[in-house]
Amino acid sequence: MANSLAYKLLKEHLVDGEFKKGSEIGIQIDQTLTQDATGTMAYLQLEALGIEKVKTELSVSYIDHNTLQNSYENADDHRYLQSAAAHFGVWFSRPGNGICHQVHLEQFGIPGKTLLGSDSHTPTAGGLGMLGIGAGGIDVAVAMAGGPFYLVVPEVIKVNLEGKLPPWVGAKDIILELLRRLTVKGGVGKIIEYGGSGIENLSVPERATITNMGAELGATSSLFPSDAITASFLRFQDRGDLWNRQEADPGAEYDEQITIDINRLEPMAAEPHSPDAVRPIREIDRVEVDQVAVGSCTNGSYQDLRLVAEILKGKVIHPRLSLVAAPGSRQAFMTLVREGALESLVASGARILESACGPCIGMGQAPPSCGVSVRTFNRNFPGRSGTTDAGVYLTGPAAAAATALHGVLTDPRELGSYPELPEAPLPVVDRRMLIAPPVDGKEVSITRGPNIRPIPLNDPLPGKIRPRVLLVVGDNITTDHIVPGGSKVLPLRSNIEALSDYVFAPLDPNFSSRAREYGSGVIVAGENYGQGSSREHAALAPMFLGVKAVLAKSFARIHLANLVNFGILPLIFSEPADYEKFSMGDELLIVNPGEQLERNEIIIDHLNGNFKITAVHQLSSRQLDILRAGGLLNYTRSQQ
Ligand code: MIC
Ligand code: SF4
C-alpha cells in the first residue's frame, strides 16, 4: 500500500496494537518537550513513576510561559524544573531563550522522528517533517519513562497548496483559510499533510506557522515533507548532518484531499472570539484598534519580525495604540539585533518583550476594557488576553504592522508595493542558553519551593456514582474556560488545591464553591468539549473538586485523554437531543459504571426528572482499565 507520510512515520514507530484506522496504537516517542506551565506536573509525575533517567533519545524542558515573576511561585517552578532536568537527564532551555516550539524547531527537531510535547502546539515540528503531537503532562512523563504513546489511528487529509503566495499574503493566511473552511473541530481525529507546488516556495518557519495552527483545527498533527528547503534550514542551523528526506509514497492514499490556490488568497483575519471566525480583512469593518501584538509560537520567527520592522522603518505607530513585539526565540532576537531590524522596531515605538509566550497566554499586556487587540498569535478565545470584554483579531505580521501604522484593522495591501526583502541571512546560532544534562544526574537533588505541592490522586472507580449536574455549557468550550491562563492563575499550576478555586471562573465564578458543596459532580457539554490547550490541569483540578464525569456531544482529542488520565468518565450522549434535558443541580445516578463502560451502554438515571438516558464512549480497553484504576498514575504503578 502506498502510504502517506503520516502513516509511514506512525508505522515506523509502531510498538503496540494493530495499525487500523480508528483503533488504538502505541508509538515509540523519540523526543519530548515540556514547558514550565505544564512541566512541573510532568516531572512530578515522572518522580511518582520512580524513574531514574529518561529513556528517550532527547528530552528538553523549556521555560517560556511563566516568565513574569510577580511573586516567588514562577521562580520556584524554574528552580524545580532546572534541578529536575539535571536529575532526569533532560536538556534545560533557560527563561528568555524562547518559546519551546520555535526553539525546538531551530535547535533540536529532526525530520522523521517523533516528538511528544506537553503543549498543544507541538505539531509545529511538522514544519521540519517531524511528527509532533501534543499531550497531557502525564502522557509525556510516561513517554520520557520509555513507555509508548497511545493514540487512535487518525484519518489523513492531504492539503494541496497550489501556486505562489501573492505579495502581502503569508503563511498565516493559508492556515486561516483552512480554519475558515474546516472550523475548530474539522481536524479532530485527523493528521493534515501538506503538498502541492506551493510548498516549494515556503520556508521552514512559514511551514511551521501552518503546522503550528493545525492545533486550532483540533488536528492530531500536521506535516510537511522534509525536502531541499528543510535541508538548507538545518544547514543554516549548523545541523545539516541531521537532515534526511521524508515524503509520502508516490500515489499515497488519503481520506480526503483539499486544494487551496494560494495565489488567489488575500490577507485574512480571525474575528473575536474563535480562530475559525475567519474573513478576508477587506470585508471586515475598519475597527479602531488599541493594541497590536507581534510574536508567539505562530509568528515569532526572524522573518516575521523582520517584515514588521521593514514595514515600520522610518515611521511611527498610530498614537492611539500600543505595539508590543516578542521575538519567538533568542536566536531570532539576536539576528534582528545583528541585522539592524530591531532599531526600526524600537524607533517606530514598538515595545520589545522578552522571547517568551507573554501576552499570548495573558502574561501581561492585557488590552484596555472593551478594547481591540490585533495579534499574530493563534488563539483569540474570550478572556484569554486577560481582558474579559476585549476583542482579539488574529492576523499575519504584515496586517499587524499595517494596523499598527493606521490605528484601524488594515489590509496590508493598502500600504502599496511589497518591501524588497533580501534572502533571510544566516541566523545567529548560539546554544549557550541551552544547558545539557550531566552524564549522571542521580546525585542532583530536586529543589522544591512551597508552591510545589504533591499531585492529588483519584480513587479507583466506585460501584455507584451519585453526582449532581454542576454546569451545563455549550459547544466548543475551551480549556481556557475550564482553567484560565493569565498572570494571576498560571503561577498556581503546581498547586492544584489553590488552582481549583479558578475552575470555570470565566463562565461561572461560583463553580468551585458549588462543586465543593455537591461533593460529586458532572459537567454537561455540547460539541468539541475541551478544545485548545493540552493543560491536564483542566482535568486534574475538576477531578480535585469531585467531578466524576463529563457528558458531552463530543470531545477534543487531548482533553479526552486528559480526562481518562485522571479518572473522569468522558461520556457521549447516544441521543444528542438529550442534552436539552439537563439543568444545573439535577441529581443523577450511575450504577455499576465499570460494568456499563465495558458494555458501552451507560444508563444515566435522572433522579429528579424520573427518566433515564443512555450514554456511550469511544475508549479503548486500555483506557477503560485506566478509568477503573482511577487514573494513569495508579494504572502505570499497578503495571510496574
Ligand atoms: C496555550 O497556548 O494555551 C498553552 C498555554 O501553551 C497551552 C499549554 C498550557 O496550558 O500550559 C497549550 O497550548 O497546550
Ligand atoms: Fe506559548 Fe501562545 Fe504558543 Fe501556547 S500558543 S505555546 S502560550 S506562544
Side-chain angles (χ1 to χ4, degrees), residues 467 471 473 477 482 504 511 521-526 528-530 538-539 542-543 547-555 559-560 563-564 567-573 590 604 615-617:
L471 194 65
V473 291
I477 288 298
I482 308 171
F504 278 115
F511 180 90
V522 162
I523 290 152
V524 175
N528 200 26
Y529 178 76
M543 180 278 272
V547 172
K548 305 291 181 218
V550 179
L551 182 56
K553 293 185 189 167
S554 67
F555 290 90
H559 189 61
L560 174 87
L563 290 172
V564 172
I568 298 179
L569 312 184
L571 304 177
I572 300 171
F573 287 104
I590 308 176
I604 301 174
V616 291
H617 63 74

Side-chain angles (χ1 to χ4, degrees), residues 102 106 205-206 209 295-306 326-329 332 336:
Q102 187 167 330
E106 292 168 351
E206 289 174 305
T209 294
S296 89
C297 58
T298 315
N299 282 120
S301 70
Y302 166 76
Q303 287 87 329
D304 287 330
L305 276 101
R306 172 181 71 169
S329 68
L336 288 164

Side-chain angles (χ1 to χ4, degrees), residues 159 173-183 192 194 210 217 258 260 268 278:
V159 176
D173 302 306
I174 297 177
I175 188 65
L176 287 175
E177 168 65 10
L178 204 56
L179 274 151
R180 187 184 73 76
R181 295 195 195 183
L182 299 181
T183 80
I192 320 272
Y194 292 88
I210 296 170
L217 293 163
I258 294 175
I260 303 182
M268 312 286 251
V278 173

Side-chain angles (χ1 to χ4, degrees), residues 35 64-65 99-101 119-121 212 296-298 356-358 360-361 377-379 384:
Q35 42 89 340
D64 53 1
H65 283 63
I99 304 171
C100 53
H101 310 300
D119 193 282
S120 63
H121 290 102
N212 171 279
S296 89
C297 58
T298 315
C357 301
C360 179
I361 190 56
F377 304 169
N378 49 36
R379 289 183 175 149
R384 182 174 160 101

Side-chain angles (χ1 to χ4, degrees), residues 57 63 84 116 120 138 150 215 237 243 279 307 316 342 349 352 360 402 437 458 462 513 589 599:
E57 291 172 14
I63 307 286
L116 192 71
S120 63
I138 187 159
Y150 287 91
Q237 289 296 140
W243 179 76
R279 281 200 288 162
L307 175 60
V316 289
L342 195 71
I352 309 299
C360 179
N458 205 346
S513 53
L589 175 67
R599 262 190 285 126

